[in-house]
Structure formats: structure tokens, C-alpha cells
Amino acid sequence: GEEVAQTPKHLVRGEGQKAKLYCAPIKGHSYVFWYQQVLKNEFKFLISFQNENVFDETGMPKERFSAKCLPNSPCSLEIQATKLEDSAVYFCASRRDRWLDSPLHFGNGTRLTVT
Amino acid sequence: DAKTTQPTSMDCAEGRAANLPCNHSTISGNEYVYWYRQIHSQGPQYIIHGLKNNETNEMASLIITEDRKSSTLILPHATLRDTAVYYCIVRVARGLNTDKLIFGTGTRLQVFP
């Protein structure tokens, strides 16, 4: 499609439960990024993929967070045993390529609330 | 990583030009400056980007100083729909495994009638 599609829009989980978020990048885009926005204006980079390969995972809290981008499937971000501090809006973004200065296109996010 | 500094908030009258400044004094020679905006809690929307030269598109103009240590985003005729948080971002791309946008705290632009 022409937009980055994220599902669900809202997700509520009890502390300790699993949360799984999905992202369909723009068709033809090879790079996918995940960002976490906790406070209103602060974005934290989590992980990026080049097709199905992890490109940069320096922002991932590895103990409970995992992510995948498999062929012919939406990308996913999974949080095992959620904590209150995981409450945030999670944005997915995609880019056509890396070597040209192509911009990143963001989805409208999934708002995760951990209670 | 290169950091950006922006004013926390700005006001602009509808129909006037909005000039949003950004400092990025530690930017490296091959790092691009990107501008995005976030309206309410939607995803960040791409506006414009540049490396050295001034750039213009249908949304805005980007003026980058010759030393590249600062830039200004110009919305030539602001409308109420331009009310948003504007982020000046440096795209960090080093080596083969690092390529990401480093967000600052942004400028909240309020356009008033």
C-alpha cells in the first residue's frame, strides 16, 4: 500500500502479559524501523530491518522485546511480560532504500497501555 | 551522535511565515538534516530534508547555514492546520549497521487566527 499500516491502534495489557504489534510497510520499501514514544515528545529508536534481516538493534531492550520481518507477512514487535514502563506509542516507519537520501515514512502508531 | 536544539514553543499568526530554527553544531559532513512534524498523536509526517544546499518543496523551505551548524524551516503561509510539534532531526548513517533518525524534543508551533 501507499501508507505504513500499523495494527492494532490501541492495545491494553495487564502487567506481565504479552503484547504483539504489527506493521505493514509501504510496498517496495526495503527498510523498516520501530520507534517508541513514551513521553509526548521523546522518540526512542528500537530496531531496524533490511528486508527480513536485522539491520540495527542497538535500541532494543533485549530481555523482553523481540521483532521480526518475515517475507510476505507484516513485521511484528513483541513484548513478553509487559511492564508499566512499556506504556507508550510504538511507531513503525519504512524507507525505500538506504543509499539514496530517501525519507522515512511513519505509520500512525499503536498505543500500548499496560495496567 | 549529533544532537539538535530547538526552541520549546513558538506562535505564528495565520497567513504569516513561520520560521523555525534549529541548531546542530556537532553535525558531521555526511549527515542530513530532516524535518518532520507530529500533529496531535499521529505519526511523524515528513516535511523536507537537506545536506548543504537550501531546499524547497510544496510544503516548506529549508535554509541551511554555510557551516551547517544550524538551519531554519520556513512555512511560507502558515495555516491553523500547521499547528503541530516540529522536529529537526539529524540522520546518522555510519558504517554498515547504523542508520537512524535521532529525534530532539521539537518545537510546538501554535498558529493562531
Side-chain angles (χ1 to χ4, degrees), chain A residues 29-87:
Chain A
H29 283 199
S30 304
Y31 288 83
V32 171
F33 294 71
W34 285 98
Y35 281 82
Q36 178 194 55
Q37 187 178 30
V38 177
L39 298 174
K40 207 74 163 119
N41 292 7
E42 293 185 17
F43 286 85
K44 179 189 173 188
F45 167 77
L46 294 176
I47 190 169
S48 61
F49 288 84
Q50 179 185 10
N51 297 312
E52 62 267 26
N53 304 308
V54 174
F55 187 71
D56 181 350
E57 57 182 346
T58 52
M60 280 287 267
K62 291 190 184 166
E63 317 81 60
R64 297 180 298 107
F65 284 59
S66 62
K68 290 180 192 174
C69 277
L70 300 176
N72 303 314
S73 296
C75 296
S76 63
L77 177 69
E78 189 167 338
I79 309 172
Q80 303 284 344
T82 52
K83 296 183 177 180
L84 296 176
E85 69 225 39
D86 298 330
S87 293

Side-chain angles (χ1 to χ4, degrees), chain B:
Chain B
D1 291 337
K3 189 179 169 181
T4 61
T5 306
Q6 300 175 252
T8 305
S9 63
M10 293 182 67
D11 290 338
C12 179
E14 194 177 16
R16 305 297 292 266
N19 296 297
L20 291 88
C22 178
N23 286 324
H24 31 79
S25 57
T26 59
I27 195 169
S28 297
N30 61 349
E31 290 174 344
Y32 282 80
V33 177
Y34 279 74
W35 282 83
Y36 281 77
R37 70 183 182 185
Q38 188 176 28
I39 299 173
H40 294 300
S41 295
Q42 295 176 18
Q45 178 191 22
Y46 166 76
I47 301 173
I48 199 167
H49 71 280
L51 182 63
K52 294 182 198 175
N53 299 322
N54 298 337
E55 302 287 345
T56 296
N57 63 20
E58 64 279 1
M59 286 183 73
S61 294
L62 174 61
I63 309 297
I64 302 175
T65 57
E66 199 167 328
D67 63 8
R68 303 213 321 123
K69 293 187 177 182
S70 64
S71 60
T72 301
L73 178 75
I74 301 171
L75 307 178
H77 305 286
T79 70
L80 298 177
R81 284 176 295 183
D82 292 323
T83 293
V85 178
Y86 286 77
Y87 293 95
C88 168
I89 299 162
V90 170
R91 178 180 169 187
V92 175
R94 299 200 189 96
L96 295 176
N97 295 319
T98 300
D99 184 0
K100 56 194 175 189
L101 300 180
I102 308 294
F103 282 78
T105 52
T107 295
R108 179 170 298 279
L109 175 69
Q110 180 70 52
V111 180
F112 57 91

